[in-house]
Amino acid sequence: MTVNPDRTAQMHVSTSETRVSLGFFRQIAANRWAKPVLRLLSIALALVVLAAIGSTARAVPQTVAPVVITSAEATSSIAPASTASSVPTATSSAPATSPPVVDHTKRATVDDPVTLNTATLDDLQRLPGIGPKRATAILQLRQKLGRFRQVEDLMRVKGVGRATLKKLRPIVRLD
């Protein structure tokens, strides 16, 4: 069995290169900046992966939103042909001079405030935090005072404090 001297020299060179590369990595690991740089590289790699996933996720077609039918449209489609023209639909336009129609059965808003001196029990219950008992107490206080002179008079009602008054102030009027 003969040993090729060139092959032995090649093996010796490759093992010395391995020792050099391991020494190089040891020097890098001993550096104080090695861990922060590796963390930044791993974060950058994670962001690239997330960007790739996000770009493929956007390629999926979006679903179509469901069609909502208003009660006016539903009644006009059910009504006989002779009365269908008299029933207003959501697509019919109102004259420009008429004020917008406000539904008083919903919560009070800045556009649809509650007038304290003329409000009924149902009107007062449109206010946030005002139930039947508190609305009755407000009506009794109004009867006792004759009329509210300022919004702060509501604080005389049990359960109406500064926080409640702060919520009510934009959506109540005196007259």
Side-chain angles (χ1 to χ4, degrees):
M1 172 178 206
T2 56
V3 177
N4 187 353
D6 291 332
R7 183 165 170 91
T8 314
Q10 287 176 353
M11 289 176 66
H12 182 20
V13 170
S14 70
T15 56
S16 65
E17 286 176 4
T18 307
R19 288 181 188 154
V20 170
S21 62
L22 286 177
F24 177 71
F25 286 118
R26 286 184 183 138
Q27 286 177 349
I28 290 176
N31 189 348
R32 69 178 188 170
W33 293 100
K35 286 185 181 180
V37 168
L38 286 175
R39 283 185 184 152
L40 286 174
L41 288 174
S42 63
I43 290 171
L45 180 64
L47 289 175
V48 168
V49 169
L50 286 175
I53 292 171
S55 65
T56 58
R58 276 187 263 151
V60 176
Q62 300 294 326
T63 59
V64 178
V67 177
V68 178
I69 299 174
T70 62
S71 60
E73 290 172 343
T75 56
S76 66
S77 64
I78 297 172
S82 61
T83 60
S85 62
S86 64
V87 176
T89 62
T91 58
S92 65
S93 61
T97 57
S98 68
V101 178
V102 179
D103 187 11
H104 290 290
T105 60
K106 296 181 180 176
R107 288 277 185 204
T109 62
V110 176
D111 298 330
D112 182 25
V114 172
T115 307
L116 291 176
N117 288 324
T118 59
T120 63
L121 185 70
D122 292 332
D123 290 335
L124 291 172
Q125 288 182 18
R126 292 176 43 222
L127 297 170
I130 306 295
K133 281 186 170 183
R134 202 164 287 152
T136 304
I138 292 172
L139 289 176
Q140 289 173 351
L141 178 64
R142 184 177 72 193
Q143 186 178 10
K144 179 181 172 186
L145 296 175
R147 64 187 283 289
F148 290 108
R149 291 183 178 34
Q150 55 188 1
V151 179
E152 287 77 18
D153 289 340
L154 286 174
M155 290 183 63
R156 295 174 66 177
V157 175
K158 183 178 179 181
V160 177
R162 292 177 193 250
T164 306
L165 188 65
K166 187 176 180 180
K167 286 188 239 176
L168 297 179
R169 190 178 304 275
I171 56 176
V172 295
R173 303 288 179 262
L174 292 176
D175 289 315

